[in-house]
Amino acid sequence: MMEHVKTKASVYIATTVDGYIADKDGSVEFLNQYQSSASEVDGDMGFTDFLNSIDLLIMGRKTFDQVISFGDDLWPYGDRQVWIWSRNPSVVKIPQIRSSNAVAVSAAPNELMRMAQQKGYRHVYVDGGTTIQQFLQQDCIDDLVLTRVPLLLGEGIPLFLKTARLSLEHVSTKSYSNGLVQSHYLVKH
C-alpha cells in the first residue's frame, strides 16, 4: 500500500524590519545591496538549497511580473513548474521562454494544494505578498523562512497585512555578515 504523503507548502521571503517585502511601487531594488554584500561564506543564504527542495512554485501574478521584469538571465527557478495565481488567468502574460513550465491558475489556495497533491508534487514554494497571506488564511502553509533586512522602509507592500492570529514554532535563526537575519518557523496547525 502506498503511503499518503501530504504536499508541503513553504514560504521563503525577505522582509524589512518593519515588515515590507517591496516599496510602495512594488520594487525590491533595496535588496540588491544586501545580495551584493553577502560574503563568500554566506553564499546565497540557503536559497539554492531551498529551491532544490521544491518541485512546484505558486506565485502571485504581480510577483511573476516583477521576476519576469528582471530578465531571463535572472530567472532563478530553472525549469521548475510555476503556477501563476491570478483572479483572471486569461490576462496573465507568460513569455514564450516560460510557456513550457508556467501556467496561470485561478482557484482557492486549498484547492491549489489539493491539485498539487493529486499531480504528485511534494514541496511547493509559495511566493508573493497577497498569495502568502491568502495561503496562510486558508491554513495551507507549513513553514516560513523569513529573512529580515536591516532597513526600515516606512511604507510599502507588507508581508502580513490581513493574516489571522497564527502560532509558529521557531526552528532556527542565523545571522549573516551583510546584516541579514534569517529565521525558520513551522506553522502550528
Side-chain angles (χ1 to χ4, degrees):
M1 185 174 196
M2 201 166 108
E3 184 182 332
H4 180 72
V5 179
K6 178 185 177 285
T7 299
K8 177 181 174 181
S10 300
V11 169
Y12 190 108
I13 197 163
T15 177
T16 60
V17 171
D18 55 350
Y20 296 106
I21 58 172
D23 69 19
K24 64 182 181 179
D25 299 320
S27 172
V28 294
E29 238 176 74
F30 63 87
L31 291 175
N32 293 343
Q33 73 183 87
Y34 298 98
Q35 290 172 329
S36 63
S37 66
S39 72
E40 259 183 56
V41 174
D42 294 342
D44 69 356
M45 295 160 276
F47 189 62
T48 298
D49 290 340
F50 174 74
L51 278 182
N52 288 337
S53 77
I54 65 133
D55 51 5
L56 173 64
L57 172 61
I58 299 176
M59 66 168 51
R61 190 216 22 100
K62 290 178 187 173
T63 302
F64 178 75
D65 289 347
Q66 177 78 6
V67 175
I68 287 295
S69 76
F70 301 151
D72 195 53
D73 292 347
L74 296 177
W75 177 260
Y77 313 116
D79 292 331
R80 282 172 198 81
Q81 279 300 124
V82 178
W83 291 358
I84 304 134
W85 193 47
S86 173
R87 279 185 226 100
N88 192 353
S90 64
V91 301
V92 176
K93 292 177 175 50
I94 300 172
Q96 180 63 34
I97 197 162
R98 295 284 146 236
S99 63
S100 65
N101 66 318
V103 62
V105 295
S106 178
N110 53 9
E111 181 59 27
L112 289 174
M113 290 306 297
R114 247 191 314 278
M115 290 166 52
Q117 176 89 35
Q118 288 170 347
K119 291 180 179 285
Y121 292 111
R122 297 171 57 132
H123 191 186
V124 177
Y125 171 17
V126 178
D127 197 18
T130 302
T131 304
I132 292 168
Q133 291 169 26
Q134 294 294 315
F135 273 68
L136 282 168
Q137 285 176 7
Q138 290 199 12
D139 199 26
C140 293
I141 300 294
D142 297 295
D143 70 331
L144 301 109
V145 176
L146 304 176
T147 303
R148 286 178 306 288
V149 178
L151 176 69
L152 297 173
L153 275 182
E155 64 180 342
I157 298 172
L159 177 55
F160 302 116
L161 180 62
K162 295 179 182 175
T163 305
R165 183 178 180 147
L166 194 62
S167 293
L168 305 174
E169 178 183 331
H170 179 256
V171 175
S172 63
T173 295
K174 183 174 182 180
S175 61
Y176 295 95
S177 62
N178 58 2
L180 299 179
V181 177
Q182 187 177 80
S183 296
H184 182 193
Y185 299 95
L186 297 177
V187 176
K188 290 184 175 183
H189 296 283

